[in-house]
Amino acid sequence: MSVATQAMSRVKSRAEGRPASYYAGLVLRYLALIAIGLVMFIPFILAFLGSFKTDAEIIAWPPRFLPTTWLTQNWVKVWQTDLGEGGTFPRWLFNTAFLSVAIAVLEVIGCSMAAYAFARLRFPGRNLVFNFMLGTMMIPGAVTLIPAFVLMSKLKLLNTYWSLLLPGIVSAGAIFMLTQFFKTIPRDLEEAAHIDGASQFQIYKDVILPLARPALLTVFILQFQAMWNNFLTPLLYLDAPRMWVLNVALSVFKQQYKAQWNLTLVGAVFNAVPVLVLFFFFSKYYIEGVAYTGVKG
Amino acid sequence: MQAQKSSVQGEANLAAIGAFVLIFAILFTIALMNAPVKATAQVTETLGSYLREVRTTALPFVAIVGLLAVGVAVAAAVVVRREWPDLTRRRALIAGYSFLAPYLLVTLTFTVGVILFALYIAFTKYEIYTEPTFVGLDNFAKALKSKQFLQSLHNVLWYAVIVTVAQTTIAIALAVLLNSPMRFKQFFRTVFYAPSVTSSVVITLIFVWLYLKTGYVNLLFSKVWELFGLHYKAIDWLGNPKGLIQLIVELFGGKIPSQQWYLRGPSVAWCCLMVQNIFTTAPTFMIMFLAALQDINPSLYEAASIDGANGWQQFWKITLPLLRPIVVLVLVLSTIGTLQIFDQVYLATAGGPLDTTVTPVYLVYTEALGKQGPIQMGYASAIAFILAILIFFFTFIQRRVIERGAEQY
């Protein structure tokens, strides 16, 4: 707080010192901010407007900004897409949402358990396992891609939710982040619980987890987003139309609807909106998560 | 007293044996699951048929991994025997590994197990429905002689260098801009970060559409050309295989023959994907830099401005040196990410035009699934390992170079 007030007073004193150049700089800075903001958002705006255009207008030269007629039918058409074998749009939406939520929940449980062991328990081999985990973070995903596919095919898990859920129970990055967070929680409460005869599991469940709620929410959101945006693994493991996730379906849209870019864009916007909405509501947790994995890691 | 002690010792021995059996069983099961055998429907039909196949074709693999498993299990048994007599330490041991169990089981199966399998099949000819046959270093030799693979390395190196430098620079610039005192900071931060939360599939599809011959990118260029009274001819951005260096040479009337493709530089199509990638990942790194900037003590800047340093000097002499650890991290993360680029290529160009956007991970995908010719799992695995070695090499070099630079401070 005091740092913030110091900064404020510094700004004020500077503003009083040299008004003309200061205000010119200020205007320039806000213009730059607005311009960059527009650049970041314009592809989404163009795609959203494009999703209402007609087949002809979407690829007409020169492209116009607003659609001449707002064709809401495009959205209905995409929603009713049916490629047979149970490959329908609502099904893909369900697959994506289900997998994203399920993986996020599993990660929160699996990662917080491991993080509790790393941060709070003392047992032989702990540092060895922790360093081993840091080592696995260095392994590029390209190496495990093919053998994991073969393993899934042997276990007959291809085209089941399990093929994504089982490996998704834990992730080294999230465990690392939670371990760092758990270490910052004061030990007094646990010691009190310990004296009252609580088991390690009770301490984890009733003391640590409630105190770590913001960090757990961050893990949940980041993992939800990671699964929602995941493409390569679902492309490999879930190739039956009824098991597709939105991303995989979208990649097919491009061929399915060839020149009908308006329909492909509907799919793209449909896919982008849930994560964007989630992000706008929980942007604090997103940003803390990214910053935390980066700076403290 | 004596009897009590020996009974405790007996209990510890029993526990040690139990630990040995349990751990060996788990590790051996993981080894069996990842045994390199042909994965046809007959083989995987029942457990019996699978084990029979393992016995006939994958004994060496299972034996080697089995020996490793014995080693780990013995170590575990020794620890259990030592810790068991002390109640607190016994409880800590059991609790610790119970909490770690989900992590360990998943990682040992889906990371360690599969990597051992991948390492093994990289030295074999393996088509998933045939038995793996040992071919030594053939897959690696084949990769290093394949023009397509060499081109994929060439592409991805250009990509890594340009994208990493550009997005790190942009990320620092955006972070510094956002870190200055202002209103609506949260709002701008959220807006800037939006492209990073959207899926690469969505962004790629939107950009492919923007890059169309009748798309907005061409519209933008034609408007700018019009300002200068010039006529603009729409470009098929993603279909253009001409290299940047090639274009410059041709501007001066020269020519680069196709035998010297590696001198042509990144193609126009490839550069388009670079722009898109910078657009989506720069905001992520911006957030990391922003968090680091907020940790810098403001009194440093006050002292500098009293000494008469202007904003530019403060940036080079204070901000950048203090950001050094984050710069290392961002460079490493960015290199790892860009060397493994896949989604954009798969969706936008499928490696074309003329292989100028083909990448190693894209080749791993196409070779392993037989998207261009027969299934070649062993070859794909060899490519993946060459890429992994390259990634380790670059992260190592970056750390060394930048840490050596840091010694001046």
Side-chain angles (χ1 to χ4, degrees):
Chain A
M1 201 58 222
S2 68
V3 176
T5 41
Q6 265 174 31
M8 286 299 284
S9 66
R10 212 166 63 244
V11 173
K12 268 183 202 151
S13 67
R14 249 188 226 168
E16 283 154 14
R18 34 181 173 164
S21 68
Y22 174 77
Y23 285 112
L26 204 67
V27 170
L28 223 79
R29 187 190 298 153
Y30 279 101
L31 280 180
L33 285 168
I34 292 166
I36 296 168
L38 276 178
V39 169
M40 294 301 193
F41 241 76
I42 246 171
F44 297 108
I45 296 167
L46 291 176
F48 180 73
L49 294 173
S51 70
F52 292 100
K53 290 180 178 174
T54 63
D55 294 2
E57 197 179 12
I58 194 77
I59 46 169
W61 178 263
R64 287 163 47 97
F65 185 60
L66 290 172
T68 36
T69 47
W70 290 74
L71 216 63
T72 42
Q73 242 175 303
N74 291 341
W75 287 71
V76 179
K77 216 186 261 177
V78 168
W79 181 260
Q80 289 169 344
T81 305
D82 188 350
L83 297 182
E85 298 170 55
T88 59
F89 196 88
R91 170 81 194 205
W92 299 326
L93 191 63
F94 170 79
N95 288 345
T96 317
F98 170 74
L99 281 170
S100 305
V101 171
I103 283 195
V105 169
L106 287 175
E107 291 256 350
V108 167
I109 299 169
C111 296
S112 65
M113 280 175 68
Y116 179 72
F118 286 136
R120 280 298 197 261
L121 302 176
R122 293 186 60 144
F123 54 94
R126 183 187 68 177
N127 292 340
L128 188 77
V129 179
F130 191 71
N131 288 329
F132 160 80
M133 184 187 80
L134 294 184
T136 60
M137 286 169 80
M138 303 267 295
I139 297 166
V143 175
T144 53
L145 193 66
I146 298 312
F149 172 76
V150 176
L151 178 60
M152 291 301 171
S153 116
K154 282 197 254 178
L155 296 174
K156 293 182 196 160
L157 290 179
L158 291 180
N159 283 320
T160 66
Y161 294 128
W162 292 112
S163 63
L164 286 167
L165 293 180
L166 280 181
I169 294 174
V170 289
S171 85
I175 294 177
F176 183 73
M177 199 197 100
L178 286 178
T179 306
Q180 303 299 91
F181 188 88
F182 287 177
K183 279 182 180 165
T184 63
I185 298 175
R187 283 175 182 268
D188 322 3
L189 278 169
E190 285 159 70
E191 271 154 22
H194 194 73
I195 290 164
D196 289 349
S199 71
Q200 290 293 358
F201 186 75
Q202 282 167 330
I203 293 176
Y204 156 78
K205 188 166 75 67
D206 297 332
V207 180
I208 293 285
L209 287 192
L211 287 173
R213 207 173 284 154
L216 298 177
L217 193 58
T218 300
V219 168
F220 181 90
I221 288 169
L222 288 181
Q223 297 305 329
F224 177 91
Q225 180 211 358
M227 180 56 224
W228 189 281
N229 291 345
N230 193 352
F231 176 58
L232 184 49
T233 358
L235 178 73
L236 270 175
Y237 296 167
L238 309 175
D239 69 339
R242 91 199 131 77
M243 294 305 295
W244 284 348
V245 296
L246 278 180
N247 273 338
V248 175
L250 262 183
S251 74
V252 180
F253 269 30
K254 211 187 134 207
Q255 291 129 34
Q256 178 79 13
Y257 293 127
K258 294 225 164 59
Q260 284 172 290
W261 273 99
N262 42 359
L263 300 187
T264 305
L265 290 176
V266 172
V269 174
F270 226 114
N271 195 349
V273 164
V275 235
L276 281 176
V277 168
L278 191 77
F279 168 63
F280 280 112
F281 279 108
F282 295 100
S283 69
K284 194 183 125 212
Y285 294 99
Y286 262 95
I287 285 164
E288 262 170 22
V290 172
Y292 209 81
T293 36
V295 179
K296 274 77 184 178
Chain B
M1 192 68 193
Q2 197 70 20
Q4 204 179 2
K5 202 173 185 185
S6 77
S7 92
V8 166
Q9 201 55 50
E11 218 176 82
N13 285 337
L14 218 64
I17 293 168
F20 175 86
V21 171
L22 181 70
I23 286 166
F24 180 76
I26 291 171
L27 293 181
F28 197 72
T29 313
I30 292 171
L32 279 180
M33 283 199 288
N34 283 298
V37 294
K38 60 180 176 193
T40 55
Q42 290 111 306
V43 170
T44 55
E45 199 187 351
T46 64
L47 189 62
S49 65
Y50 181 74
L51 290 179
R52 216 172 305 130
E53 188 63 29
V54 171
R55 206 160 45 221
T56 47
T57 61
L59 263 189
F61 178 87
V62 174
I64 294 169
V65 182
L67 272 180
L68 279 174
V70 170
V72 175
V74 166
V78 169
V79 171
V80 168
R81 190 167 172 273
R82 193 186 65 209
E83 304 288 307
W84 197 265
D86 186 322
L87 184 68
T88 345
R89 289 166 72 176
R90 182 203 308 167
R91 279 194 179 151
L93 187 72
I94 295 172
Y97 283 97
S98 308
F99 275 105
L100 282 181
Y103 166 73
L104 284 174
L105 285 177
V106 169
T107 307
L108 289 174
T109 313
F110 294 104
T111 307
V112 179
V114 299
I115 283 179
L116 292 174
F117 170 85
L119 198 61
Y120 185 87
I121 62 163
F123 298 98
T124 65
K125 187 175 183 322
Y126 180 54
E127 294 160 15
I128 196 164
Y129 300 121
T130 58
E131 281 166 24
T133 46
F134 189 74
V135 292
L137 289 167
D138 278 10
N139 288 327
F140 293 90
K142 185 178 160 196
L144 295 175
K145 272 187 247 153
S146 148
K147 196 218 153 200
Q148 203 184 25
F149 178 64
L150 292 178
Q151 180 145 22
S152 77
L153 286 182
H154 161 268
N155 292 342
V156 95
L157 288 177
W158 272 112
Y159 196 90
V161 170
I162 297 178
V163 172
T164 300
V165 170
Q167 73 191 6
T168 311
T169 316
I170 292 173
I172 294 177
L174 290 179
V176 170
L177 184 66
L178 277 184
N179 195 44
S180 47
M182 65 162 88
R183 280 161 187 279
F184 314 117
K185 187 181 269 188
Q186 305 270 1
F187 170 77
F188 281 116
R189 193 177 64 174
T190 308
V191 168
F192 284 15
Y193 189 56
S196 280
V197 290
T198 328
S199 98
S200 57
V201 175
V202 169
I203 301 267
T204 307
L205 285 176
I206 293 176
F207 268 73
V208 170
W209 172 65
L210 295 176
Y211 280 132
L212 284 181
K213 227 172 166 180
T214 57
Y216 286 94
V217 175
N218 276 321
L219 182 74
L220 179 72
F221 276 94
S222 79
K223 290 284 177 213
V224 174
W225 257 238
E226 251 170 46
L227 280 182
F228 297 99
L230 296 165
H231 177 71
Y232 176 78
K233 196 169 161 290
I235 297 173
D236 179 13
W237 292 99
L238 291 173
N240 194 332
K242 293 244 163 134
L244 282 192
I245 300 174
Q246 186 188 10
L247 283 172
I248 294 169
V249 170
E250 279 177 7
L251 207 64
F252 292 100
K255 214 170 169 265
I256 302 179
S258 59
Q259 287 95 326
Q260 267 90 47
W261 55 267
Y262 44 86
L263 294 178
R264 286 179 168 172
S267 72
V268 173
W270 201 214
C271 293
C272 290
L273 294 187
M274 291 181 192
V275 170
Q276 182 215 317
N277 197 338
I278 294 165
F279 173 80
T280 46
T281 13
T284 308
F285 296 136
M286 169 194 84
I287 297 292
M288 291 191 186
F289 284 123
L290 197 56
L293 283 175
Q294 280 158 358
D295 287 347
I296 295 179
N297 189 344
S299 63
L300 285 174
Y301 293 106
E302 263 164 37
S305 64
I306 289 167
D307 288 347
N310 63 28
W312 191 245
Q313 286 166 328
Q314 287 178 17
F315 173 76
W316 285 102
K317 296 288 177 196
I318 300 172
T319 313
L320 211 53
L322 287 173
L323 283 183
R324 200 180 277 274
I326 300 299
V327 173
V328 182
L329 182 80
V330 164
L331 287 179
V332 168
L333 288 178
S334 173
T335 312
I336 294 175
T338 48
L339 286 176
Q340 295 191 74
I341 184 88
F342 172 82
D343 299 4
Q344 287 84 339
V345 176
Y346 178 89
L347 286 159
T349 59
L354 297 180
D355 282 347
T356 56
T357 64
V358 92
T359 68
V361 177
Y362 185 73
L363 281 181
V364 169
Y365 172 81
T366 53
E367 297 292 346
L369 293 193
K371 297 276 172 185
Q372 43 175 14
I375 293 177
Q376 305 191 67
M377 291 267 174
Y379 180 53
S381 199
I383 292 179
F385 275 105
I386 296 176
L387 180 68
I389 292 167
L390 206 67
I391 289 173
F392 284 135
F393 176 74
F394 276 108
T395 33
F396 181 73
I397 293 281
Q398 277 173 334
R399 274 174 187 267
R400 282 302 290 271
V401 167
I402 294 180
E403 272 160 20
R404 184 162 303 166
E407 281 164 19
Q408 303 165 25
Y409 291 91

